[in-house]
mmCIF file of all heavy atoms in Angstrom:
data_model
loop_
_atom_site.group_PDB
_atom_site.id
_atom_site.type_symbol
_atom_site.label_atom_id
_atom_site.label_comp_id
_atom_site.label_asym_id
_atom_site.label_seq_id
_atom_site.Cartn_x
_atom_site.Cartn_y
_atom_site.Cartn_z
ATOM 1 N N LEU L 21 -110.518 -160.951 -129.180
ATOM 2 C CA LEU L 21 -111.972 -160.784 -129.156
ATOM 3 C C LEU L 21 -112.201 -159.495 -129.736
ATOM 4 O O LEU L 21 -111.756 -158.295 -129.318
ATOM 5 C CB LEU L 21 -112.458 -160.844 -127.700
ATOM 6 C CG LEU L 21 -113.960 -161.042 -127.550
ATOM 7 C CD1 LEU L 21 -114.448 -162.376 -128.138
ATOM 8 C CD2 LEU L 21 -114.417 -160.940 -126.127
ATOM 9 N N ARG L 22 -113.077 -159.433 -130.801
ATOM 10 C CA ARG L 22 -113.355 -158.123 -131.510
ATOM 11 C C ARG L 22 -114.859 -158.017 -131.720
ATOM 12 O O ARG L 22 -115.639 -159.051 -132.165
ATOM 13 C CB ARG L 22 -112.610 -157.998 -132.809
ATOM 14 C CG ARG L 22 -111.167 -157.545 -132.662
ATOM 15 C CD ARG L 22 -110.341 -157.569 -133.898
ATOM 16 N NE ARG L 22 -110.110 -158.893 -134.327
ATOM 17 C CZ ARG L 22 -110.426 -159.484 -135.416
ATOM 18 N NH1 ARG L 22 -111.191 -158.801 -136.251
ATOM 19 N NH2 ARG L 22 -110.137 -160.814 -135.686
ATOM 20 N N LYS L 23 -115.432 -156.848 -131.559
ATOM 21 C CA LYS L 23 -116.870 -156.662 -131.659
ATOM 22 C C LYS L 23 -117.186 -155.161 -132.049
ATOM 23 O O LYS L 23 -116.575 -154.271 -131.398
ATOM 24 C CB LYS L 23 -117.584 -157.065 -130.410
ATOM 25 C CG LYS L 23 -118.979 -156.632 -130.305
ATOM 26 C CD LYS L 23 -119.896 -157.766 -130.741
ATOM 27 C CE LYS L 23 -121.342 -157.309 -130.755
ATOM 28 N NZ LYS L 23 -122.276 -158.201 -131.617
ATOM 29 N N SER L 24 -117.982 -154.972 -132.911
ATOM 30 C CA SER L 24 -118.520 -153.497 -133.164
ATOM 31 C C SER L 24 -120.048 -153.524 -133.310
ATOM 32 O O SER L 24 -120.659 -154.475 -133.740
ATOM 33 C CB SER L 24 -117.837 -152.982 -134.355
ATOM 34 O OG SER L 24 -117.553 -153.840 -135.371
ATOM 35 N N PHE L 25 -120.602 -152.409 -132.825
ATOM 36 C CA PHE L 25 -122.016 -152.199 -133.189
ATOM 37 C C PHE L 25 -122.108 -151.273 -134.343
ATOM 38 O O PHE L 25 -121.771 -150.095 -134.170
ATOM 39 C CB PHE L 25 -122.756 -151.663 -131.962
ATOM 40 C CG PHE L 25 -122.831 -152.677 -130.811
ATOM 41 C CD1 PHE L 25 -122.411 -152.361 -129.591
ATOM 42 C CD2 PHE L 25 -123.415 -153.798 -131.035
ATOM 43 C CE1 PHE L 25 -122.533 -153.317 -128.538
ATOM 44 C CE2 PHE L 25 -123.577 -154.900 -129.963
ATOM 45 C CZ PHE L 25 -123.167 -154.501 -128.733
ATOM 46 N N GLY L 26 -122.481 -151.734 -135.512
ATOM 47 C CA GLY L 26 -122.365 -150.772 -136.655
ATOM 48 C C GLY L 26 -120.989 -150.391 -136.881
ATOM 49 O O GLY L 26 -120.042 -151.157 -136.938
ATOM 50 N N SER L 27 -120.681 -149.147 -137.052
ATOM 51 C CA SER L 27 -119.308 -148.640 -137.254
ATOM 52 C C SER L 27 -118.607 -148.276 -135.979
ATOM 53 O O SER L 27 -117.475 -147.886 -135.973
ATOM 54 C CB SER L 27 -119.458 -147.308 -138.130
ATOM 55 O OG SER L 27 -120.107 -146.350 -137.436
ATOM 56 N N HIS L 28 -119.336 -148.506 -134.808
ATOM 57 C CA HIS L 28 -118.792 -148.150 -133.579
ATOM 58 C C HIS L 28 -118.021 -149.379 -133.016
ATOM 59 O O HIS L 28 -118.608 -150.452 -132.672
ATOM 60 C CB HIS L 28 -119.865 -147.712 -132.561
ATOM 61 C CG HIS L 28 -119.311 -147.480 -131.212
ATOM 62 N ND1 HIS L 28 -118.510 -146.388 -130.962
ATOM 63 C CD2 HIS L 28 -119.659 -148.099 -130.047
ATOM 64 C CE1 HIS L 28 -118.250 -146.513 -129.676
ATOM 65 N NE2 HIS L 28 -118.823 -147.453 -129.035
ATOM 66 N N LEU L 29 -116.732 -149.242 -132.921
ATOM 67 C CA LEU L 29 -115.848 -150.391 -132.358
ATOM 68 C C LEU L 29 -115.992 -150.394 -130.887
ATOM 69 O O LEU L 29 -115.822 -149.419 -130.139
ATOM 70 C CB LEU L 29 -114.360 -150.134 -132.736
ATOM 71 C CG LEU L 29 -113.451 -151.202 -132.218
ATOM 72 C CD1 LEU L 29 -113.525 -152.292 -133.278
ATOM 73 C CD2 LEU L 29 -112.053 -150.631 -132.167
ATOM 74 N N VAL L 30 -116.495 -151.663 -130.344
ATOM 75 C CA VAL L 30 -116.690 -151.765 -128.908
ATOM 76 C C VAL L 30 -115.603 -152.531 -128.243
ATOM 77 O O VAL L 30 -115.183 -152.271 -127.174
ATOM 78 C CB VAL L 30 -118.024 -152.516 -128.668
ATOM 79 C CG1 VAL L 30 -118.354 -152.560 -127.228
ATOM 80 C CG2 VAL L 30 -119.129 -151.853 -129.446
ATOM 81 N N LEU L 31 -115.111 -153.614 -128.921
ATOM 82 C CA LEU L 31 -113.924 -154.394 -128.373
ATOM 83 C C LEU L 31 -112.995 -154.582 -129.475
ATOM 84 O O LEU L 31 -113.214 -154.978 -130.627
ATOM 85 C CB LEU L 31 -114.461 -155.814 -128.048
ATOM 86 C CG LEU L 31 -115.405 -155.939 -126.938
ATOM 87 C CD1 LEU L 31 -115.896 -157.329 -126.670
ATOM 88 C CD2 LEU L 31 -114.923 -155.289 -125.678
ATOM 89 N N GLY L 32 -111.746 -154.119 -129.155
ATOM 90 C CA GLY L 32 -110.712 -153.994 -130.247
ATOM 91 C C GLY L 32 -109.612 -154.926 -130.088
ATOM 92 O O GLY L 32 -108.500 -154.647 -130.110
ATOM 93 N N GLY L 33 -110.002 -156.225 -129.824
ATOM 94 C CA GLY L 33 -108.923 -157.301 -129.823
ATOM 95 C C GLY L 33 -108.507 -157.539 -128.437
ATOM 96 O O GLY L 33 -107.558 -156.806 -127.802
ATOM 97 N N ILE L 34 -109.304 -158.401 -127.641
ATOM 98 C CA ILE L 34 -108.922 -158.626 -126.287
ATOM 99 C C ILE L 34 -108.426 -160.020 -126.086
ATOM 100 O O ILE L 34 -108.866 -160.984 -126.660
ATOM 101 C CB ILE L 34 -110.237 -158.528 -125.400
ATOM 102 C CG1 ILE L 34 -110.586 -156.981 -125.266
ATOM 103 C CG2 ILE L 34 -110.051 -159.049 -124.080
ATOM 104 C CD1 ILE L 34 -111.650 -156.681 -124.435
ATOM 105 N N ASP L 35 -107.243 -160.120 -125.364
ATOM 106 C CA ASP L 35 -106.677 -161.473 -124.949
ATOM 107 C C ASP L 35 -106.695 -161.534 -123.405
ATOM 108 O O ASP L 35 -106.284 -160.565 -122.835
ATOM 109 C CB ASP L 35 -105.249 -161.531 -125.408
ATOM 110 C CG ASP L 35 -105.154 -161.518 -126.945
ATOM 111 O OD1 ASP L 35 -105.462 -162.552 -127.510
ATOM 112 O OD2 ASP L 35 -104.728 -160.442 -127.522
ATOM 113 N N PHE L 36 -107.282 -162.631 -122.941
ATOM 114 C CA PHE L 36 -107.317 -162.835 -121.481
ATOM 115 C C PHE L 36 -107.599 -164.233 -121.071
ATOM 116 O O PHE L 36 -108.293 -164.844 -121.812
ATOM 117 C CB PHE L 36 -108.432 -161.847 -120.915
ATOM 118 C CG PHE L 36 -108.147 -161.601 -119.405
ATOM 119 C CD1 PHE L 36 -107.221 -160.887 -118.979
ATOM 120 C CD2 PHE L 36 -109.189 -162.120 -118.579
ATOM 121 C CE1 PHE L 36 -107.181 -160.748 -117.607
ATOM 122 C CE2 PHE L 36 -109.059 -162.023 -117.213
ATOM 123 C CZ PHE L 36 -107.979 -161.288 -116.686
ATOM 124 N N ASP L 37 -106.954 -164.599 -119.943
ATOM 125 C CA ASP L 37 -107.199 -165.912 -119.392
ATOM 126 C C ASP L 37 -107.726 -165.793 -118.013
ATOM 127 O O ASP L 37 -107.259 -164.938 -117.351
ATOM 128 C CB ASP L 37 -105.960 -166.789 -119.405
ATOM 129 C CG ASP L 37 -105.527 -167.295 -120.794
ATOM 130 O OD1 ASP L 37 -106.357 -167.070 -121.685
ATOM 131 O OD2 ASP L 37 -104.458 -167.904 -120.811
ATOM 132 N N VAL L 38 -108.574 -166.692 -117.617
ATOM 133 C CA VAL L 38 -109.021 -166.730 -116.221
ATOM 134 C C VAL L 38 -108.751 -168.094 -115.673
ATOM 135 O O VAL L 38 -109.075 -169.182 -116.347
ATOM 136 C CB VAL L 38 -110.534 -166.491 -116.088
ATOM 137 C CG1 VAL L 38 -110.971 -166.520 -114.549
ATOM 138 C CG2 VAL L 38 -110.903 -165.191 -116.694
ATOM 139 N N GLU L 39 -108.019 -168.222 -114.515
ATOM 140 C CA GLU L 39 -107.825 -169.593 -113.974
ATOM 141 C C GLU L 39 -108.852 -170.061 -113.071
ATOM 142 O O GLU L 39 -109.642 -169.064 -112.624
ATOM 143 C CB GLU L 39 -106.467 -169.388 -113.063
ATOM 144 C CG GLU L 39 -105.228 -168.755 -113.722
ATOM 145 C CD GLU L 39 -104.658 -169.673 -114.910
ATOM 146 O OE1 GLU L 39 -104.796 -170.844 -114.750
ATOM 147 O OE2 GLU L 39 -104.072 -169.086 -115.877
ATOM 148 N N PRO L 40 -109.097 -171.303 -112.875
ATOM 149 C CA PRO L 40 -110.164 -171.727 -112.042
ATOM 150 C C PRO L 40 -109.974 -171.065 -110.575
ATOM 151 O O PRO L 40 -108.868 -170.903 -110.083
ATOM 152 C CB PRO L 40 -109.929 -173.242 -112.006
ATOM 153 C CG PRO L 40 -109.188 -173.620 -113.169
ATOM 154 C CD PRO L 40 -108.369 -172.421 -113.451
ATOM 155 N N SER L 41 -111.054 -170.784 -110.025
ATOM 156 C CA SER L 41 -111.272 -170.121 -108.660
ATOM 157 C C SER L 41 -110.701 -168.694 -108.667
ATOM 158 O O SER L 41 -110.619 -168.158 -107.519
ATOM 159 C CB SER L 41 -110.464 -170.985 -107.620
ATOM 160 O OG SER L 41 -111.097 -172.193 -107.534
ATOM 161 N N GLN L 42 -110.297 -168.131 -109.821
ATOM 162 C CA GLN L 42 -109.824 -166.732 -109.795
ATOM 163 C C GLN L 42 -111.082 -165.792 -109.705
ATOM 164 O O GLN L 42 -112.168 -166.120 -110.303
ATOM 165 C CB GLN L 42 -109.092 -166.420 -111.028
ATOM 166 C CG GLN L 42 -107.619 -166.147 -110.750
ATOM 167 C CD GLN L 42 -106.850 -165.760 -112.097
ATOM 168 O OE1 GLN L 42 -107.385 -165.843 -113.071
ATOM 169 N NE2 GLN L 42 -105.603 -165.447 -111.908
ATOM 170 N N VAL L 43 -110.834 -164.668 -109.077
ATOM 171 C CA VAL L 43 -111.840 -163.545 -109.007
ATOM 172 C C VAL L 43 -111.190 -162.477 -109.905
ATOM 173 O O VAL L 43 -110.221 -161.793 -109.543
ATOM 174 C CB VAL L 43 -112.171 -163.098 -107.724
ATOM 175 C CG1 VAL L 43 -113.205 -161.911 -107.865
ATOM 176 C CG2 VAL L 43 -112.826 -164.255 -106.923
ATOM 177 N N VAL L 44 -111.766 -162.295 -111.041
ATOM 178 C CA VAL L 44 -111.305 -161.130 -111.925
ATOM 179 C C VAL L 44 -112.442 -160.042 -111.904
ATOM 180 O O VAL L 44 -113.602 -160.227 -112.092
ATOM 181 C CB VAL L 44 -111.173 -161.760 -113.415
ATOM 182 C CG1 VAL L 44 -110.810 -160.558 -114.316
ATOM 183 C CG2 VAL L 44 -110.304 -162.820 -113.465
ATOM 184 N N VAL L 45 -111.854 -158.825 -111.600
ATOM 185 C CA VAL L 45 -112.667 -157.675 -111.666
ATOM 186 C C VAL L 45 -112.314 -156.800 -112.748
ATOM 187 O O VAL L 45 -111.111 -156.412 -112.817
ATOM 188 C CB VAL L 45 -112.498 -156.975 -110.193
ATOM 189 C CG1 VAL L 45 -113.262 -155.579 -110.337
ATOM 190 C CG2 VAL L 45 -113.230 -157.696 -109.130
ATOM 191 N N VAL L 46 -113.337 -156.426 -113.513
ATOM 192 C CA VAL L 46 -113.090 -155.607 -114.782
ATOM 193 C C VAL L 46 -113.627 -154.280 -114.399
ATOM 194 O O VAL L 46 -114.702 -154.059 -114.028
ATOM 195 C CB VAL L 46 -113.944 -156.168 -115.947
ATOM 196 C CG1 VAL L 46 -113.544 -155.332 -117.184
ATOM 197 C CG2 VAL L 46 -113.529 -157.567 -116.190
ATOM 198 N N ILE L 47 -112.705 -153.202 -114.494
ATOM 199 C CA ILE L 47 -113.123 -151.820 -114.176
ATOM 200 C C ILE L 47 -112.768 -150.979 -115.451
ATOM 201 O O ILE L 47 -112.073 -151.353 -116.374
ATOM 202 C CB ILE L 47 -112.410 -151.302 -113.013
ATOM 203 C CG1 ILE L 47 -110.889 -151.201 -113.176
ATOM 204 C CG2 ILE L 47 -112.869 -152.056 -111.694
ATOM 205 C CD1 ILE L 47 -110.146 -150.444 -112.020
ATOM 206 N N GLY L 48 -113.364 -149.765 -115.502
ATOM 207 C CA GLY L 48 -113.050 -148.820 -116.585
ATOM 208 C C GLY L 48 -114.181 -147.877 -116.707
ATOM 209 O O GLY L 48 -115.241 -148.143 -116.285
ATOM 210 N N PRO L 49 -113.957 -146.784 -117.491
ATOM 211 C CA PRO L 49 -114.949 -145.789 -117.756
ATOM 212 C C PRO L 49 -116.211 -146.421 -118.413
ATOM 213 O O PRO L 49 -115.989 -147.438 -119.159
ATOM 214 C CB PRO L 49 -114.314 -144.808 -118.479
ATOM 215 C CG PRO L 49 -112.986 -145.216 -118.915
ATOM 216 C CD PRO L 49 -112.672 -146.470 -118.111
ATOM 217 N N SER L 50 -117.323 -145.797 -118.152
ATOM 218 C CA SER L 50 -118.510 -146.333 -118.914
ATOM 219 C C SER L 50 -118.338 -146.204 -120.499
ATOM 220 O O SER L 50 -117.698 -145.266 -120.873
ATOM 221 C CB SER L 50 -119.798 -145.648 -118.505
ATOM 222 O OG SER L 50 -119.635 -144.273 -118.400
ATOM 223 N N GLY L 51 -118.791 -147.186 -121.183
ATOM 224 C CA GLY L 51 -118.623 -147.174 -122.676
ATOM 225 C C GLY L 51 -117.231 -147.722 -123.008
ATOM 226 O O GLY L 51 -116.880 -147.706 -124.267
ATOM 227 N N SER L 52 -116.525 -148.329 -122.078
ATOM 228 C CA SER L 52 -115.143 -148.896 -122.493
ATOM 229 C C SER L 52 -115.277 -150.285 -122.901
ATOM 230 O O SER L 52 -114.352 -150.817 -123.329
ATOM 231 C CB SER L 52 -114.297 -148.889 -121.269
ATOM 232 O OG SER L 52 -114.922 -149.543 -120.154
ATOM 233 N N GLY L 53 -116.558 -150.911 -122.932
ATOM 234 C CA GLY L 53 -116.723 -152.253 -123.515
ATOM 235 C C GLY L 53 -116.690 -153.386 -122.528
ATOM 236 O O GLY L 53 -116.864 -154.528 -122.812
ATOM 237 N N LYS L 54 -116.797 -152.914 -121.150
ATOM 238 C CA LYS L 54 -116.742 -153.958 -120.007
ATOM 239 C C LYS L 54 -117.863 -154.911 -120.200
ATOM 240 O O LYS L 54 -117.736 -156.157 -120.181
ATOM 241 C CB LYS L 54 -116.707 -153.287 -118.678
ATOM 242 C CG LYS L 54 -115.846 -152.218 -118.498
ATOM 243 C CD LYS L 54 -115.966 -151.719 -117.054
ATOM 244 C CE LYS L 54 -117.166 -151.057 -116.788
ATOM 245 N NZ LYS L 54 -117.509 -149.678 -117.300
ATOM 246 N N SER L 55 -119.124 -154.325 -120.244
ATOM 247 C CA SER L 55 -120.155 -155.218 -120.282
ATOM 248 C C SER L 55 -120.254 -156.145 -121.544
ATOM 249 O O SER L 55 -120.660 -157.310 -121.426
ATOM 250 C CB SER L 55 -121.508 -154.476 -120.171
ATOM 251 O OG SER L 55 -121.662 -153.891 -118.936
ATOM 252 N N THR L 56 -119.998 -155.494 -122.694
ATOM 253 C CA THR L 56 -119.994 -156.359 -123.921
ATOM 254 C C THR L 56 -118.953 -157.470 -123.772
ATOM 255 O O THR L 56 -119.305 -158.611 -124.206
ATOM 256 C CB THR L 56 -119.618 -155.381 -125.069
ATOM 257 O OG1 THR L 56 -120.469 -154.263 -125.091
ATOM 258 C CG2 THR L 56 -119.740 -156.111 -126.407
ATOM 259 N N PHE L 57 -117.807 -157.189 -123.258
ATOM 260 C CA PHE L 57 -116.798 -158.164 -123.042
ATOM 261 C C PHE L 57 -117.387 -159.289 -122.254
ATOM 262 O O PHE L 57 -117.297 -160.514 -122.634
ATOM 263 C CB PHE L 57 -115.600 -157.437 -122.265
ATOM 264 C CG PHE L 57 -114.535 -158.413 -121.769
ATOM 265 C CD1 PHE L 57 -114.042 -159.452 -122.525
ATOM 266 C CD2 PHE L 57 -114.151 -158.355 -120.419
ATOM 267 C CE1 PHE L 57 -113.087 -160.322 -122.038
ATOM 268 C CE2 PHE L 57 -113.108 -159.235 -119.953
ATOM 269 C CZ PHE L 57 -112.655 -160.229 -120.808
ATOM 270 N N LEU L 58 -118.103 -159.006 -121.170
ATOM 271 C CA LEU L 58 -118.635 -160.035 -120.182
ATOM 272 C C LEU L 58 -119.623 -160.758 -121.033
ATOM 273 O O LEU L 58 -119.838 -162.064 -120.874
ATOM 274 C CB LEU L 58 -119.219 -159.446 -119.009
ATOM 275 C CG LEU L 58 -119.494 -160.254 -117.792
ATOM 276 C CD1 LEU L 58 -118.037 -160.726 -117.197
ATOM 277 C CD2 LEU L 58 -120.207 -159.633 -116.766
ATOM 278 N N ARG L 59 -120.617 -160.047 -121.736
ATOM 279 C CA ARG L 59 -121.671 -160.689 -122.395
ATOM 280 C C ARG L 59 -121.215 -161.581 -123.628
ATOM 281 O O ARG L 59 -121.894 -162.487 -123.996
ATOM 282 C CB ARG L 59 -122.723 -159.588 -122.873
ATOM 283 C CG ARG L 59 -123.474 -159.097 -121.773
ATOM 284 C CD ARG L 59 -124.046 -157.745 -122.128
ATOM 285 N NE ARG L 59 -125.121 -157.845 -123.344
ATOM 286 C CZ ARG L 59 -126.395 -158.258 -123.111
ATOM 287 N NH1 ARG L 59 -126.788 -158.373 -121.937
ATOM 288 N NH2 ARG L 59 -127.057 -158.335 -124.225
ATOM 289 N N CYS L 60 -120.043 -161.363 -124.025
ATOM 290 C CA CYS L 60 -119.508 -162.214 -125.064
ATOM 291 C C CYS L 60 -119.021 -163.565 -124.404
ATOM 292 O O CYS L 60 -118.966 -164.559 -125.121
ATOM 293 C CB CYS L 60 -118.159 -161.620 -125.638
ATOM 294 S SG CYS L 60 -118.476 -160.342 -126.892
ATOM 295 N N CYS L 61 -118.892 -163.584 -123.017
ATOM 296 C CA CYS L 61 -118.453 -164.872 -122.434
ATOM 297 C C CYS L 61 -119.443 -165.915 -122.143
ATOM 298 O O CYS L 61 -119.254 -166.958 -121.777
ATOM 299 C CB CYS L 61 -117.681 -164.555 -121.051
ATOM 300 S SG CYS L 61 -116.258 -163.601 -121.260
ATOM 301 N N ASN L 62 -120.814 -165.519 -122.453
ATOM 302 C CA ASN L 62 -121.841 -166.592 -122.460
ATOM 303 C C ASN L 62 -122.722 -166.474 -123.622
ATOM 304 O O ASN L 62 -123.824 -167.029 -123.669
ATOM 305 C CB ASN L 62 -122.642 -166.471 -121.133
ATOM 306 C CG ASN L 62 -123.763 -165.370 -121.128
ATOM 307 O OD1 ASN L 62 -123.581 -164.417 -121.911
ATOM 308 N ND2 ASN L 62 -124.738 -165.465 -120.308
ATOM 309 N N GLY L 63 -122.293 -165.748 -124.778
ATOM 310 C CA GLY L 63 -122.874 -165.793 -125.955
ATOM 311 C C GLY L 63 -124.117 -164.838 -126.071
ATOM 312 O O GLY L 63 -124.838 -164.940 -126.963
ATOM 313 N N LEU L 64 -124.329 -164.015 -125.114
ATOM 314 C CA LEU L 64 -125.417 -162.928 -125.264
ATOM 315 C C LEU L 64 -125.091 -161.993 -126.260
ATOM 316 O O LEU L 64 -125.924 -161.468 -126.908
ATOM 317 C CB LEU L 64 -125.687 -162.213 -123.925
ATOM 318 C CG LEU L 64 -126.553 -163.010 -122.829
ATOM 319 C CD1 LEU L 64 -126.683 -162.248 -121.624
ATOM 320 C CD2 LEU L 64 -127.799 -163.570 -123.383
ATOM 321 N N GLU L 65 -123.796 -161.740 -126.403
ATOM 322 C CA GLU L 65 -123.218 -160.944 -127.616
ATOM 323 C C GLU L 65 -122.319 -161.927 -128.349
ATOM 324 O O GLU L 65 -121.650 -162.707 -127.848
ATOM 325 C CB GLU L 65 -122.461 -159.759 -127.122
ATOM 326 C CG GLU L 65 -123.151 -158.763 -126.264
ATOM 327 C CD GLU L 65 -124.239 -157.924 -127.000
ATOM 328 O OE1 GLU L 65 -124.300 -157.949 -128.311
ATOM 329 O OE2 GLU L 65 -124.960 -157.159 -126.398
ATOM 330 N N VAL L 66 -122.529 -161.749 -129.669
ATOM 331 C CA VAL L 66 -121.627 -162.590 -130.568
ATOM 332 C C VAL L 66 -120.484 -161.749 -131.135
ATOM 333 O O VAL L 66 -120.761 -160.807 -131.978
ATOM 334 C CB VAL L 66 -122.463 -163.274 -131.708
ATOM 335 C CG1 VAL L 66 -121.472 -164.146 -132.510
ATOM 336 C CG2 VAL L 66 -123.614 -164.036 -131.155
ATOM 337 N N PRO L 67 -119.256 -161.910 -130.713
ATOM 338 C CA PRO L 67 -118.178 -161.153 -131.211
ATOM 339 C C PRO L 67 -117.999 -161.562 -132.740
ATOM 340 O O PRO L 67 -118.157 -162.685 -133.074
ATOM 341 C CB PRO L 67 -117.016 -161.563 -130.381
ATOM 342 C CG PRO L 67 -117.221 -162.900 -129.926
ATOM 343 C CD PRO L 67 -118.800 -162.968 -129.774
ATOM 344 N N GLU L 68 -117.612 -160.562 -133.594
ATOM 345 C CA GLU L 68 -117.418 -160.859 -135.013
ATOM 346 C C GLU L 68 -115.954 -161.494 -135.235
ATOM 347 O O GLU L 68 -115.814 -162.146 -136.308
ATOM 348 C CB GLU L 68 -117.781 -159.778 -135.989
ATOM 349 C CG GLU L 68 -116.987 -158.555 -135.648
ATOM 350 C CD GLU L 68 -117.950 -157.447 -135.185
ATOM 351 O OE1 GLU L 68 -119.042 -157.807 -134.636
ATOM 352 O OE2 GLU L 68 -117.660 -156.327 -135.374
ATOM 353 N N GLY L 69 -115.178 -161.312 -134.314
ATOM 354 C CA GLY L 69 -113.754 -161.869 -134.523
ATOM 355 C C GLY L 69 -113.212 -162.375 -133.157
ATOM 356 O O GLY L 69 -113.649 -162.060 -132.128
ATOM 357 N N GLY L 70 -112.276 -163.344 -133.297
ATOM 358 C CA GLY L 70 -111.625 -163.875 -132.091
ATOM 359 C C GLY L 70 -112.296 -165.099 -131.565
ATOM 360 O O GLY L 70 -113.189 -165.649 -132.229
ATOM 361 N N ARG L 71 -111.949 -165.470 -130.325
ATOM 362 C CA ARG L 71 -112.301 -166.764 -129.935
ATOM 363 C C ARG L 71 -112.575 -166.720 -128.424
ATOM 364 O O ARG L 71 -111.781 -166.033 -127.737
ATOM 365 C CB ARG L 71 -111.103 -167.678 -130.213
ATOM 366 C CG ARG L 71 -111.168 -169.105 -130.090
ATOM 367 C CD ARG L 71 -109.795 -169.629 -130.464
ATOM 368 N NE ARG L 71 -109.760 -171.081 -130.050
ATOM 369 C CZ ARG L 71 -110.228 -172.074 -130.766
ATOM 370 N NH1 ARG L 71 -110.782 -171.840 -131.863
ATOM 371 N NH2 ARG L 71 -110.169 -173.227 -130.185
ATOM 372 N N VAL L 72 -113.573 -167.345 -127.979
ATOM 373 C CA VAL L 72 -113.802 -167.472 -126.493
ATOM 374 C C VAL L 72 -113.903 -169.002 -126.148
ATOM 375 O O VAL L 72 -114.785 -169.741 -126.766
ATOM 376 C CB VAL L 72 -115.014 -166.779 -126.067
ATOM 377 C CG1 VAL L 72 -115.425 -167.034 -124.607
ATOM 378 C CG2 VAL L 72 -115.035 -165.329 -126.340
#
Side-chain angles (χ1 to χ4, degrees):
Chain L
L21 195 63
R22 279 173 287 118
K23 167 94 187 161
S24 37
F25 291 124
S27 64
H28 176 62
L29 183 77
V30 188
L31 297 177
I34 288 187
D35 294 284
F36 194 70
D37 285 354
V38 181
E39 310 293 331
S41 295
Q42 245 183 358
V43 176
V44 175
V45 170
V46 184
I47 62 173
S50 46
S52 58
K54 307 182 297 286
S55 287
T56 307
F57 170 48
L58 201 69
R59 288 162 60 87
C60 284
C61 295
N62 78 342
L64 280 181
E65 301 286 353
V66 182
E68 54 249 27
R71 191 178 164 82
V72 177

